[in-house]
Amino acid sequence: MIRPDAPVLLEITGLHARVEEQQILNGVNLIVRSGEIHAVMGRNGSGKSTLSKVLAGHPAYTITEGSITYLGSDLLELAPEQRSRLGLFLGFQYPVEIPGVSNLEFLRVSTNARRAQRGEEELDTFAFEDLVRERLKVVQMDPAFLNRSVNEGFSGGEKKRNEILQMALLEPLVAILDETDSGLDIDALRIVADGVNQLAGPDNATLLITHYQRLLDLITPDYVHVMAAGRILRTGGKELALELERTGYEWVDQELANLGREPAEVL
Amino acid sequence: MPAVVMPNTADWLSQLAGVPMPARGQEDWRFTELAALQGLAPELWSGVDPFAQINLPAGISRIGADEAQGLQQQGLNSTGGGNVWSVRLNQGASPRCLALRVAGEAGPLQLHFDAGAAPGLLALQLVLVLEEGASLELLIQHGSSGPNATSFVVVAQLARGAKCNLGLLAPGDARASLLSHLSISQAPASSLQVTTAVGGWALSRLEPCIIQLEGAAQTRLRALQLVDGKELADTHSQVSFEGPDGQLDQLHKVVADGAGRSVFNGAVRVPRRAQQTNAAQLSRTLLLSERARVDTKPELEIVADDVKCAHGATISRLQQNELFYLQSRGIGAEQASRLLLRGYCEEVLRELPAAAAALNPLELLLRERL
Amino acid sequence: MSTATVGDLVSQPYKHGFVTDIETEKIAKGLSEDVVRLISSKKSEPEFLLAFRLRAYRQWLQMQSPDWAALGYPQIDYQNIIYYAAPKQQEKKASLDEVDPKLLETFEKLGIPLSEQKRLSNVAVDAVFDSVSIATTYREKLAEHGVIFCSISEAVKEYPALVEKYLGTVIPSNDNYFAALNSAVFSDGSFVFIPKGVTCPMELSTYFRINSADTGQFERTLIIAEDGASVSYLEGCTAPMFDTNQLHAAVVELVVLEDASIKYSTVQNWYAGDENGVGGIYNFVTKRGQCRGDRSHISWTQVETGSAITWKYPSCVLQGADSVGEFYSVALTNNYQQADTGTKMIHVGPRTRSTIVSKGISAGHSSNSYRGLVQIGPKAVGAKNYSQCDSMLIGDQAAANTYPYIRSQQPDSSVEHEASTCRISAEQLFYLQSRGIGFEEAVSMMVSGFCRDVFNQLPMEFAAEADKLLALKLEGSVG
């Protein structure tokens, strides 16, 4: 839902970033207001996933230029855990397995960290179990997963559901979902998309990072951005995604060539 | 049980090795009774030189004696094998030496060393150099039918990209001993498989000692050792990673029957420079008799944090549920046991170089039990 | 953003490093037959005990200090150690009110309140300061159930027949170098006797405190559970920070008769030395239990975080049919600490079962070894063992070694061993952080998750303590 007067949650200006010696982002500009759903599309290596990691504060990435403002403050000053507590959420493309750490305990500590930030009281184990059981419905997840170690032995689809469950518990203001659709069969995709739709509202925003149209058939974006060579090459409405579906990314090379860059440099 | 020891055999062996015989107090020999060796007549084996008539396939050529000497020294230095007692004994016992260079894809090679019925100590050395990208499939057969001992030292170097599939098939004799040391160094991108199948010796001791000089190589070890009667079979393996990205896949299988003794010591060393090493060792033992004894000791030494090292060990008798399954299909208990035992051994034996199949290794090793 | 590494986190100051200023009675440095006699006479011991000590001393003289564990430490000068030190108070006091307040204060500071009103409910404590026991709480209440819980010195005086019957029967005085030394010069320790059919009504606990800089600590613990009896016992240990090394060579013997069980837990936090490896305790301990009766049960649980060097293998001799041995261990090493620890499970009787769960965490330049033996004897028909040894490496300078010996002579038995190595990866940390969990808490969650199987075995009152202790060891200078 686009409302020009809605408050700005996230503003990315001229963002450049690299990992080790490799420059990946080359001037990303993006404004996200509350209520909006953005889709960021692009080929492998275009910088989509890097953008999501940089937003979450992954230590392997170095910002070389530009700024990110989140809720009016400098996001880059914040540790990853502070970002989460302030309502920035990254749904991982490959959620890591953490043997030994109980999923339920993990979810409770994480939820309480966010609640404390919001000035809400901590939930004890019983109150939390009630909450988590209610939120499990959002992703139609089996409660048995709560008693396992974090993501350990979960299938691809179960991991993604666990991500959306965390989103349901943390009630983020800006949720970035990195390739949440990858590796999901059609039923799992529908469940995950339903979950995202249930959680999207006028006061929060969602950034979907995806390759394919199929997720966007289920979650309608307000904006579609096409990334290439570490920047947003074109922005449009949901019809842009449909156009991409038809024409592929060939035109991107053309456009980059017009900008005087070799496609090889892009990859 | 004081074996009948010829008074001067131990002295003679010590003299050959230049150091006293290993004692039980030494960690590497703690479970390995050398009585069988002491029963040996103190003389060198005097049969026909087993290296005299060997036809080398294309791609394999002989190396001159001087160069071979240097290569052997170099190889033993890199693995630390030079100080091992079995190697010292070999060097002191006027060994017959075969030194080979392998270039390109060489045809399969088969070497057969049968000590026969002649008494005494037979010492053999094999030096192998696999040049860059070379590949070799080598099956070594040992045998004996008398009161003798075979001491065999292999020193092999695998250059970058070289592939070596080395099989050692050694059905023995209850009066004979086999001491076999293998020092093998691997350059990056090389790949080594060593499959050993040993059974029937009064005493056998295998010492595969493998070093990945800069890591980034593949090592696959498969072993089957069988003991029955009063036999003692011992394997002391050691794999060291001296650089990152090395891989080890090791399976050691034992069948212990009669009053046999089986010893397995499997060392894996992963120092700090060997990040991203992936090493797995599994030791499985079938203990079939109340008089048999099994000593198993994996040794994992790790000083790198980004590695995957797993090892496992099991000792048990034949799986009762598997037995029951076969019996419930009308197979008698004894036959079912034999079937399961065959399957257990075949897992290793089928990995011997292809030439082994014609020799029917299972029959050679298990004989009357099948 | 936090730039701390996991390595920074495991370095945190030792919180029990203070020295209590109290007048102490010490004998002169050095060890000789006269010193052994002097210790025995100071404690007014009966003849049998002096004979036991002297025999052990003579055996010790014939023995060599073991070198197989490949631990690196300079030769110990046994003539430069004081073998007896006691805070000056004449007799053990009948009432705690008469105990030197400085001692009470010391234990209070360590979190072990001994005074009546502050006592841990449902835990009886024997507090040992340097060489002697200074107080044992809840003795009367325990006596009502026939349970004896006192210092071993008192037991020698009050129950000499029991002591003579069991002392040295599980660990003979010539068992090993340090056991022989302990048998010759042991000062004090705890004695527990649970009579037939009694379930000890409360947790028993001994708290060991080394205070003097040049004193060796040689305590001796003996626990006997008669037919059908059961008890849960916990020991804790701390010491001040000195830049010299103190020797601690304890012996613990457990005797378990038919259908009886002993659960023995240790939270060891001796001073580990500083970040350069200077100072710290040499902890050379012999612990062994015998399951003498059928269906008897011994469970060892240990959380080892301290000491410069730990050399310790709490073991079970499973003689009785269907007896059960368990060993659950967490060993954390940091800086230049060396730990060589594990267990021996000796299966003698039929259908005996044992379980080993060992979790080693190595950080800094430390070295952490699991060394164990599972032995299935010829009569142990149907015996079963399962072992699991996991190592967690923090940083690329620490060593994790695993040496699990297995020996079997019984075909109708099964032994299974599994081992794995893991680390705390940057990706795992980032994942937890991106869910609002701070760096320290993330590390601590992962470490305690790694150790959970062991912590679950600790008595409830202490499980939280152990978790906290590891968290403390892991807490530190972030940011």
Side-chain angles (χ1 to χ4, degrees), chain C residues 173-298:
Chain C
S173 56
N174 62 350
D175 186 81
N176 66 72
Y177 189 76
F178 297 108
L181 179 63
N182 174 287
S183 301
V185 302
F186 72 89
S187 41
D188 215 338
S190 300
F191 177 82
V192 177
F193 178 83
I194 317 288
K196 233 178 202 178
V198 172
T199 299
C200 185
M202 54 175 70
E203 296 280 339
L204 304 185
S205 166
T206 300
Y207 196 89
F208 295 102
R209 174 72 178 170
I210 293 179
N211 195 55
S212 309
D214 40 10
T215 307
Q217 182 140 342
F218 306 94
E219 59 317 314
R220 181 118 196 161
T221 297
L222 176 58
I223 302 180
I224 300 133
E226 283 196 326
D227 294 357
S230 76
V231 62
S232 168
Y233 176 91
L234 182 127
E235 61 174 359
C237 340
T238 61
M241 293 155 67
F242 294 117
D243 55 11
T244 53
N245 300 102
Q246 287 89 53
L247 177 62
H248 172 255
V251 168
V252 175
E253 296 179 282
L254 311 183
V255 177
V256 192
L257 306 183
E258 224 171 87
D259 293 304
S261 85
I262 294 179
K263 183 178 177 66
Y264 193 107
S265 313
T266 304
V267 176
Q268 187 261 108
N269 189 20
W270 296 119
Y271 178 53
D274 68 8
E275 67 278 9
N276 298 313
V278 176
I281 304 287
Y282 292 162
N283 189 36
F284 301 148
V285 172
T286 309
K287 293 183 168 178
R288 192 176 306 153
Q290 278 181 348
C291 282
R292 291 189 187 170
D294 293 353
R295 295 168 304 281
S296 55
H297 187 164
I298 289 176

Side-chain angles (χ1 to χ4, degrees), chain A residues 43-236:
Chain A
R43 287 197 289 212
N44 279 338
S46 60
K48 312 185 299 286
S49 278
T50 297
L51 178 62
S52 69
K53 293 273 175 58
V54 165
L55 286 168
H58 194 290
Y61 297 86
T62 312
I63 313 300
T64 51
E65 231 183 290
S67 66
I68 307 177
T69 308
Y70 175 67
L71 307 179
S73 3
D74 183 356
L75 183 74
L76 300 177
E77 287 291 302
L78 302 174
E81 60 268 31
Q82 290 168 306
R83 300 180 194 202
S84 167
R85 290 170 197 167
L86 290 167
L88 186 92
F89 177 87
L90 170 61
F92 285 79
Q93 182 178 5
Y94 303 111
V96 66
E97 301 190 3
I98 310 183
V101 175
S102 123
N103 200 28
L104 184 65
E105 172 73 3
F106 156 68
L107 294 170
R108 190 172 70 87
V109 173
S110 170
T111 305
N112 277 334
R114 171 100 172 102
R115 290 178 66 90
Q117 182 74 37
R118 294 205 280 192
E120 296 164 356
E121 60 172 323
E122 285 203 3
L123 297 176
D124 63 22
T125 33
F126 301 107
F128 182 71
E129 275 216 57
D130 293 343
L131 177 69
V132 82
R133 273 169 198 280
E134 176 209 315
R135 299 289 154 92
L136 277 174
K137 291 179 201 146
V138 173
V139 285
Q140 301 177 28
M141 204 164 123
D142 183 342
F145 285 101
L146 298 174
N147 297 322
R148 310 220 329 228
S149 291
V150 177
N151 295 326
E152 193 184 29
F154 287 25
S155 72
E158 288 155 0
K159 283 181 182 168
K160 295 296 169 73
R161 286 198 216 185
N162 203 29
E163 293 292 291
I164 304 302
L165 172 64
Q166 292 165 42
M167 179 173 157
L169 287 164
L170 295 175
E171 300 172 350
L173 294 171
V174 174
I176 306 144
L177 302 175
D178 188 6
E179 308 267 1
T180 294
D181 48 341
S182 71
L184 294 187
D185 62 38
I186 191 68
D187 292 327
L189 183 69
R190 197 177 299 278
I191 289 165
V192 165
D194 278 355
V196 174
N197 283 328
Q198 284 176 57
L199 298 170
D203 299 323
N204 58 29
T206 309
L207 201 60
L208 301 169
I209 290 175
T210 181
H211 253 69
Y212 305 108
Q213 169 62 31
R214 61 174 201 160
L215 179 66
L216 304 182
D217 290 336
L218 301 170
I219 305 172
T220 312
D222 299 305
Y223 294 100
V224 173
H225 311 278
V226 180
M227 271 191 90
R231 68 182 93 172
I232 290 173
L233 210 56
R234 199 195 276 187
T235 294

Side-chain angles (χ1 to χ4, degrees), chain A residues 56-59 80-81 84-85 89-90 92 95-102 106 109-110 113 150-151 163 166 170, chain C residues 1-2 392 422 425-442 445-450 452:
Chain A
H58 194 290
E81 60 268 31
S84 167
R85 290 170 197 167
F89 177 87
L90 170 61
F92 285 79
V96 66
E97 301 190 3
I98 310 183
V101 175
S102 123
F106 156 68
V109 173
S110 170
V150 177
N151 295 326
E163 293 292 291
Q166 292 165 42
L170 295 175
Chain C
M1 195 196 292
S2 121
M392 179 182 264
C422 69
S425 77
E427 288 307 313
Q428 290 170 323
L429 275 175
F430 178 65
Y431 187 79
L432 293 176
Q433 282 181 282
S434 74
R435 293 297 177 259
I437 298 167
F439 186 80
E440 288 183 18
E441 193 175 358
M445 267 176 108
M446 285 167 60
V447 169
S448 74
F450 177 71
R452 186 181 310 153

